[in-house]
Amino acid sequence: MKFGVPLGLVHPAAWRDVAVAADRLGFDSVWLPEHLVFGTDLSTAAYPGSGAPGIRPQTPLFDAPAYLCALAAVTEHVRLGTAVYLYALRHPFAAARAFATLDQVSGGRAVVGVGAGWYEGEWRAAGVDFATRGRRLDEAIAVSRRLWTEPTVEHHGEFFDFPEVAFEPKPVQRPLPVNAGGESRAALRRAATLCDGWISMPQTLRGVRPKLDLLRELRAAAGRADAPFEITVHAAELSGPDEIRHWERLGVDRLIVRPWSRTRDAVPALIDFADRYGVRHAA
């Protein structure tokens, strides 16, 4: 089992220290969430399933790929991922460039975690149609795949249209992994048919099982049952090291864990977790 660390669940002032500790201890990856902008009108900010606002407009927001580039400079091993990046809020040129740069700067450690998003106010503020966000994301992924691999690209689609262009440098990784986040059927379809993996919301063993079953069905229907595919689950909680084998039996490749409750405890908690769960660098 690989273990990831959610940097978004500690204060930004601690991101560097937590990332460096995760790298030194043998954690597989660190992950940043992402939003482009928050509006002050909370009428469209109810988090799905809760009814309560899912944002605070005064929350500091950072450009995730740019910040991960800074973390790449002080780490050597950890993969650097977004969970998740609102890819379709940008033109594919901008988004693909950001992650190609991260992959180059990090020596091939980028993971492109993408999502369609839930917060309508952000899309309104950016002047992008919220209702078409899923289709925009699917097209943006397809365009980016071509930019990252083909010598020149011309595209005429529903949302993006451009003449032949060159896009250099290419990412170090071939392919640069794109993982889809979200738990709706549309999100699972996107992961199964267009992406290299899936990233869950916080989940339990029981709760994630039907999601994984549906993923397998969708991948089989798409003829991708045997294609490489990485499953990343945010673990809501872990009862202890013995639980890990149950996640592995479900086919989970990586657990994103938060063994702390306060930012000041994050690094000591990672040290303790690494010792208890046998975290180490991959051979």
Side-chain angles (χ1 to χ4, degrees):
M1 179 64 68
K2 296 181 286 189
F3 295 99
V5 177
L7 295 179
L9 296 180
V10 293
H11 191 279
W15 286 355
R16 184 186 188 279
D17 289 345
V18 172
V20 168
D23 187 61
R24 177 176 59 83
L25 291 166
F27 283 83
D28 161 78
S29 49
V30 295
W31 301 81
L32 277 180
E34 192 269 340
H35 281 282
L36 184 60
V37 69
F38 287 155
T40 56
D41 177 3
L42 298 182
S43 64
T44 63
Y47 193 75
S50 72
I55 67 162
R56 289 187 300 108
Q58 292 73 34
T59 300
L61 301 174
F62 296 87
D63 183 290
Y67 209 109
L68 291 170
C69 281
L71 295 181
V74 295
T75 58
E76 297 181 20
H77 307 287
V78 289
R79 299 185 65 75
L80 304 158
T82 50
V84 291
Y85 186 82
L86 298 174
Y87 208 91
L89 267 178
R90 289 87 168 173
H91 192 285
F93 290 166
R97 178 69 67 208
F99 283 98
T101 299
L102 173 60
D103 205 50
Q104 280 281 340
V105 167
S106 67
R109 291 188 279 143
V111 183
V112 188
V114 303
W118 60 270
Y119 169 44
E120 185 174 354
E122 185 170 18
W123 294 76
R124 287 184 182 177
V128 184
D129 182 13
F130 183 70
T132 62
R133 68 195 187 282
R135 299 203 311 277
R136 289 179 65 91
L137 176 55
D138 292 350
E139 186 175 336
I141 292 170
V143 170
S144 295
R145 297 275 203 195
R146 296 186 63 202
L147 292 170
W148 291 330
T149 57
E150 298 180 17
T152 59
V153 178
E154 179 177 347
H155 180 78
H156 306 286
E158 180 181 5
F159 301 104
F160 308 106
D161 188 288
F162 54 87
E164 186 175 81
V165 299
F167 186 94
E168 297 292 342
K170 306 299 186 191
V172 173
Q173 298 178 86
R174 301 290 182 94
L176 179 56
V178 179
N179 293 357
E183 299 189 350
S184 67
R185 186 179 183 89
L188 293 170
R189 176 207 55 78
R190 180 173 298 111
T193 61
L194 298 179
C195 296
D196 308 296
W198 175 64
I199 305 170
S200 83
M201 302 292 286
Q203 276 289 0
T204 63
L205 281 165
R206 176 178 293 182
V208 81
R209 186 174 285 111
K211 307 295 183 185
L212 299 179
D213 289 343
L214 181 54
L215 265 177
R216 280 189 285 270
E217 292 175 13
L218 293 169
R219 292 181 65 213
R224 301 186 72 210
D226 297 324
F229 194 82
E230 189 168 62
I231 294 173
T232 298
V233 173
H234 282 81
E237 59 181 338
L238 293 175
S239 61
D242 289 344
E243 185 181 315
I244 300 303
R245 67 178 184 272
H246 299 295
W247 291 99
E248 291 173 333
R249 287 171 184 164
L250 288 178
V252 174
D253 300 291
R254 177 190 293 115
L255 290 174
I256 297 179
V257 297
R258 179 199 184 186
W260 65 84
S261 58
R262 299 177 299 182
T263 290
R264 67 186 181 189
D265 298 328
V267 170
L270 287 179
I271 294 171
D272 180 68
F273 185 95
D275 181 58
R276 292 178 60 216
Y277 285 80
V279 175
R280 59 184 62 87
H281 289 295

